[in-house]
Amino acid sequence: MDGFSKSIGGGGPNVPAGSHPAGGSQAAAGGGATQRTQYPYVTGTSVIALKYKDGVIMACDTGASYGSTLRYKSVERIKAVGKHSIIGASGEYSDFQEILRYLDELTLSDHMWDDGNSLGPKEIHSYLTRVMYNRRNKFDPLWNSLVIGGVKKGPKGDEKYLGMVNMIGTHFEENHVATGFGNHLAIPILRAEWHEDMTFEEAVKLVEKCLLVLLYRDRSSINKFQIAKITTEGSTIYPPYSLKTYWGFTHFENPAQGAVGSW
Amino acid sequence: MSSIGTGYDLSVTTFSPDGRVFQVEYATKAVDNSGTVVGIKCKDGIVLGVEKLVTSKMMLEGSNRRIHSVHRHSGLAVAGLAADGRQIVSRTKSEAASYEKVYGEAISVKELADRVASYVHLCTLYWWLRPFGCGVILGGYDRDGPQLYMIEPSGVSYKYFGAALGKGRQAAKTEIEKLKLSELTCREGIVEVAKIIYGVHDEAKDKAFELELSWICDESNRQHQKVPNELLEQAKAAAQAALEEMDAD
């Protein structure tokens, strides 16, 4: 959804507001000014996540684009929420920061009850779904696709949870999710190779395979990734690292082979 | 210190000829009759303790909390009318939350104490309101280190090393003054507070009580939380042992 919206609008912030057919305009009805979000400015690309034996693993790159410019290269797009969950976001980064603020307020007031209970990933997902859907209905969406993963003790023991919610309020729960370009490039790989109770090493390998495809094919991704995991012991967000890429294909060696020009 | 304020004690907006506001003084009496509340500032944090008098055997243990978290870094212990206390706690929580919304960082303990004091004072200015029948001890840990404030029904707020409210406050204050607070860690502090509360508890007048202990210290990651169960039990055991020693004399 995020990748397409940019192409419909004709690219990021460089498009003047007047030539934008799909978006609304600043409507000042009488005395009350209403806002309509037209397009995102600083955006993060895909997030992928999957359930494995001990919990949930989530990964994304650390880049944030400003239209077609890869403006910020050390952005953390996965954060811990409370004791039991991690959240990853693609789309408008400032909206993600605002969502983190809402979650902070939510977890604080939950913490202050001090009743031995704490919000789990299912509750956080439910809350965020309401927030996203209500904003969408006001035509002022938080321009994100959010991935929420976590583990919490339930009636059947430790229950793993992985869900997604996007800017129009569509939400679901699955064994593996991806946002943005990940929907098209990573999901097919995950569908073929995911299985129940993968070990951490297997999960990382699968995630890296998807990240590599996204790195080759998604122009807004960069070669700097962060993997995060959430288990009953808590959340861990690993330091950023790069993947090895291969560009030694024969076709790259003589790119003009099929179309020799005069210069 | 009780004097009849005939005629001048009917409204909180009336001064007596000798410059007292009797309604506020009567409110303080409500605090003086409640279970003891103690707060101390140790070298690495704050310890708050409450002697929660149990009025009925039917009450579930752990209910009717008297110590509340008002923010990640602060807690409020309430003495006096419990319902009034809930109102103050609720207001403190919302003050802390709104400060963070506006300024983007956690409210300082000093600022929070100011806001609580202003709110309590507010209710002593209008005839259609009555003063709060409770005093609160606010303990917090921010950039300036651990701090302890006490706010009385009159709306005054002072910063303290050690503070006590309620029935056993005189005895508690004497005990606190004996402690070398600047050298005490919070781990040692919780035992001391337990001892004080067990010590000032009047077995004859009030039967059962529950000890509520909370702390904010480096060990709790500068977050306000109930003292962990094992430490609580250790503190209770030490306090009971000290009591038996005293009785043996």
Side-chain angles (χ1 to χ4, degrees):
Chain A
M1 180 75 187
D2 297 313
F4 281 162
S5 56
K6 278 215 290 248
S7 52
I8 288 172
N14 301 313
V15 177
S19 67
H20 203 280
S25 45
Q26 288 277 30
T34 55
Q35 284 270 63
R36 287 174 168 213
T37 307
Q38 295 155 281
Y39 36 70
Y41 287 88
V42 177
T43 55
T45 184
S46 329
V47 176
I48 45 181
L50 51 99
K51 285 187 192 169
Y52 74 106
K53 184 160 66 84
D54 308 322
V56 174
I57 191 173
M58 199 183 287
C60 66
D61 72 2
T62 62
S65 311
Y66 183 64
S68 53
T69 312
L70 268 171
R71 179 87 167 75
Y72 304 103
K73 300 195 189 163
S74 288
V75 164
E76 208 174 279
R77 295 194 289 118
I78 299 180
K79 297 278 184 185
V81 180
K83 291 188 282 209
H84 307 284
S85 329
I86 46 174
I87 180 174
S90 66
E92 174 59 59
Y93 195 66
S94 63
D95 283 347
F96 180 48
Q97 289 172 322
E98 194 65 3
I99 286 167
L100 289 175
R101 226 181 41 77
Y102 292 153
L103 290 173
D104 196 45
E105 281 176 20
L106 187 74
T107 45
L108 177 64
S109 62
D110 181 58
H111 168 80
M112 292 201 291
W113 278 110
D114 205 4
D115 58 358
N117 231 340
S118 51
L119 291 170
K122 194 168 167 53
E123 289 86 63
I124 307 255
H125 187 209
S126 188
Y127 170 77
L128 288 173
T129 303
R130 297 328 307 143
V131 171
M132 301 299 267
Y133 185 68
N134 278 308
R135 287 289 294 261
R136 161 261 174 109
N137 285 344
K138 295 196 281 190
F139 281 90
D140 185 18
L142 290 162
W143 208 286
N144 296 106
S145 283
L146 305 166
V147 178
I148 298 108
V151 198
K152 193 170 166 214
K153 233 184 195 63
K156 303 183 198 146
D158 285 327
E159 290 166 15
K160 304 187 278 250
Y161 187 89
L162 179 59
M164 200 189 94
V165 58
N166 68 10
M167 64 187 269
I168 57 171
T170 309
H171 59 283
F172 56 87
E173 202 203 318
E174 250 294 0
N175 291 320
H176 48 261
V177 300
T179 70
F181 265 95
N183 268 309
H184 305 96
L185 300 173
I187 292 283
I189 302 176
L190 293 169
R191 282 183 184 163
E193 301 191 15
W194 183 88
H195 59 86
E196 199 83 50
D197 288 331
M198 294 173 80
T199 65
F200 182 62
E201 291 72 32
E202 288 177 323
V204 171
K205 261 187 73 186
L206 182 55
V207 150
E208 282 185 352
K209 185 170 183 177
C210 297
L211 289 175
L212 197 57
V213 173
L214 287 167
L215 176 60
Y216 283 128
R217 296 292 176 174
D218 177 7
R219 71 108 182 251
S220 7
S221 67
I222 59 170
N223 195 0
K224 193 171 163 193
F225 304 100
Q226 268 193 304
I227 293 196
K229 72 166 194 232
I230 175 101
T231 61
T232 42
E233 269 114 54
S235 59
T236 317
I237 302 177
Y238 291 97
Y241 70 105
S242 302
L243 294 172
K244 272 220 220 12
T245 55
Y246 177 71
W247 301 96
F249 297 104
T250 39
H251 285 275
F252 291 169
E253 278 163 30
N254 189 8
Q257 190 179 23
V260 177
S262 57
W263 50 277
Chain B
M1 219 196 83
S2 51
S3 54
I4 311 165
T6 0
Y8 303 110
D9 61 349
L10 297 173
S11 161
V12 79
T13 52
T14 308
F15 276 104
S16 75
D18 50 344
R20 295 153 68 172
V21 183
F22 280 102
Q23 278 297 307
V24 174
E25 292 188 18
Y26 295 163
T28 315
K29 290 235 178 30
V31 183
D32 294 342
N33 288 334
S34 96
T36 315
V37 174
V38 168
I40 56 169
K41 179 171 101 121
C42 307
K43 75 172 176 198
D44 64 339
I46 306 278
V47 179
L48 298 171
V50 174
E51 170 205 13
K52 193 165 69 180
L53 298 168
V54 176
T55 44
S56 154
K57 285 212 178 74
M58 294 292 183
M59 257 170 46
L60 214 59
E61 199 190 317
S63 67
N64 294 56
R65 293 279 300 270
R66 297 273 294 279
I67 306 184
H68 303 90
S69 286
V70 289
H71 201 59
R72 255 170 245 107
H73 60 42
S74 328
L76 209 60
V78 178
L81 302 177
D84 285 13
R86 262 218 312 275
Q87 182 75 332
I88 297 187
V89 169
S90 168
R91 179 70 185 220
T92 314
K93 284 183 182 173
S94 80
E95 290 281 0
S98 87
Y99 183 96
E100 189 151 348
K101 244 201 196 114
V102 172
Y103 297 104
E105 59 169 44
I107 189 169
S108 66
V109 188
K110 178 176 195 299
E111 177 71 32
L112 191 58
D114 266 353
R115 296 204 179 188
V116 179
S118 296
Y119 182 60
V120 172
H121 178 236
L122 190 79
C123 299
T124 64
L125 294 175
Y126 303 100
W127 60 264
W128 61 81
L129 294 175
R130 66 162 174 80
F132 282 106
C134 51
V136 298
I137 297 186
L138 171 70
Y141 200 148
D142 63 16
R143 273 200 293 224
D144 302 317
Q147 290 152 70
L148 190 70
Y149 290 88
M150 185 163 85
I151 299 106
E152 296 165 28
S154 55
V156 298
S157 146
Y158 289 119
K159 198 167 159 198
Y160 291 90
F161 293 113
L165 288 167
K167 280 198 241 251
R169 70 189 177 289
Q170 306 285 38
K173 281 190 210 162
T174 325
E175 291 301 312
I176 295 173
E177 280 168 26
K178 292 186 193 158
L179 299 170
K180 276 214 166 64
L181 290 170
S182 52
E183 293 167 20
L184 222 55
T185 62
C186 274
R187 270 201 171 227
E188 298 160 352
I190 48 180
V191 180
E192 295 302 329
V193 170
K195 283 191 194 157
I196 293 173
I197 292 190
Y198 271 77
V200 304
H201 175 65
D202 192 339
E203 275 298 327
K205 293 225 192 92
D206 316 297
K207 304 293 163 52
F209 83 100
E210 224 184 281
L211 174 66
E212 238 184 82
L213 272 184
S214 79
W215 66 359
I216 317 130
C217 58
D218 296 323
E219 210 179 308
S220 76
N221 240 323
R222 301 198 182 180
Q223 305 229 352
H224 179 255
Q225 52 174 228
K226 275 199 305 238
V227 166
N229 267 327
E230 337 86 58
L231 291 174
L232 181 64
E233 294 307 315
Q234 281 174 21
K236 281 192 194 166
Q240 244 146 0
L243 208 60
E244 271 142 40
E245 254 185 61
M246 262 180 13
D247 286 343
D249 298 335

